[in-house]
Amino acid sequence: MTSMPGSGGPTAATTPPPAEAAGRIRRFSRAERWVHRTTAWLMLLCVATAACLYVPQLAELVGRRHLVVTVHEWSGLLIPVPLLAGLASRALRADLSRLNRFGPHDRQWLRAVRRRDHRPGSRPAGKFNAGQKLYAAWIAGAVPVMTGTGLLMWFTGLAPLMWRTGATFVHDWLALAIGIVLAGHMAKALADPEARRGMRTGSVERPWARAEHPLWEESTGRPEDPKR
């Protein structure tokens, strides 16, 4: 049966809007996604050029060492810039505040991970779980150290030789640690398509949020408004 213009039959009255039917909720703002994407590309560029500088086989394959050094230096210096620019976003500042808070539910999450407890409800998490908070804190501490030691290596007149030798040692080994941690971060992301979709589109399925971040899902309102 075809409805006349301006009329609404029983089907029209009961069919939910697309966003509500999809059950998606907003997770990240456009500014947050831009900051994450830009920082990720700069970090990958920095790690890739570092590998070309320290692995002989890659160095021979790529060549043009001076260009690789220049790209490595500037990509490293630019890593904090997207975050600093993104501080103008209220949503980003709110999420940074969440990342900086460690509560009892985070300790419960870590205990469950240590015991490999996968039972429903054993790993309570807000918008960010304890693992994500620890990763963010570790990266936030590692980047300034890498920047400082890198500057000492770049501008040789800033410090005596002994300081530059120590800076090189710290820079090299911390770079290796960052590479390993980044590989783990990327592996976790590859194993969770919905988490990647949330970072790419800004919204996630409500069942995923209920399973992975139940405390955050409980605090959210209605499903995503299609006009937002």
Side-chain angles (χ1 to χ4, degrees), residues 22-23 40 56 59 75 91 94 107 114 126 137 165 171 179 183 186 188 190 201 203 220:
S75 60
R107 288 187 284 273
R114 189 172 63 250
T165 302
H171 194 88
M186 294 171 65
K188 294 291 290 183
L190 289 173
T201 67
S203 63
T220 58

Side-chain angles (χ1 to χ4, degrees), residues 148-149 152-153 156 158-170:
T149 53
L152 289 177
M153 296 164 61
T156 57
L158 290 178
L161 177 61
M162 184 174 64
W163 286 25
R164 298 200 306 273
T165 302
T168 302
F169 178 84
V170 172

Side-chain angles (χ1 to χ4, degrees), residues 108-109 111-123:
Q108 181 181 344
W109 189 95
R111 286 194 297 269
V113 170
R114 189 172 63 250
R115 297 193 301 264
R116 297 185 178 181
D117 185 354
H118 296 279
R119 292 176 301 170
S122 63
R123 300 186 183 189

Side-chain angles (χ1 to χ4, degrees), residues 32-193:
E32 290 177 290
R33 302 198 306 274
W34 176 87
V35 168
H36 183 271
R37 188 174 298 116
T38 308
T39 303
W41 279 112
L42 287 171
M43 186 74 76
L44 287 174
L45 184 60
C46 196
V47 170
T49 51
C52 292
L53 292 173
Y54 287 98
V55 179
Q57 293 82 356
L58 290 177
E60 293 176 5
L61 179 65
V62 175
R64 307 192 67 177
R65 181 177 178 84
H66 179 71
L67 176 61
V68 173
V69 169
T70 301
V71 172
H72 179 75
E73 291 169 342
W74 283 103
S75 60
L77 282 177
L78 290 174
I79 284 176
V81 173
L83 177 61
L84 295 176
L87 290 177
S89 166
R90 181 180 299 179
L92 178 61
R93 296 198 303 271
D95 276 351
L96 289 177
S97 178
R98 293 185 181 98
L99 284 168
N100 199 38
R101 295 175 183 170
F102 209 86
H105 61 279
D106 295 308
R107 288 187 284 273
Q108 181 181 344
W109 189 95
L110 289 173
R111 286 194 297 269
V113 170
R114 189 172 63 250
R115 297 193 301 264
R116 297 185 178 181
D117 185 354
H118 296 279
R119 292 176 301 170
S122 63
R123 300 186 183 189
K127 188 171 185 179
F128 305 101
N129 61 44
Q132 292 168 328
K133 292 179 180 181
L134 290 176
Y135 171 79
W138 194 86
I139 288 294
V143 168
V145 173
M146 291 296 288
T147 303
T149 53
L151 287 173
L152 289 177
M153 296 164 61
W154 188 359
F155 299 102
T156 57
L158 290 178
L161 177 61
M162 184 174 64
W163 286 25
R164 298 200 306 273
T165 302
T168 302
F169 178 84
V170 172
H171 194 88
D172 291 352
W173 283 102
L174 185 55
L176 178 61
I178 289 176
I180 294 172
V181 172
L182 279 178
H185 178 68
M186 294 171 65
K188 294 291 290 183
L190 289 173
D192 194 339

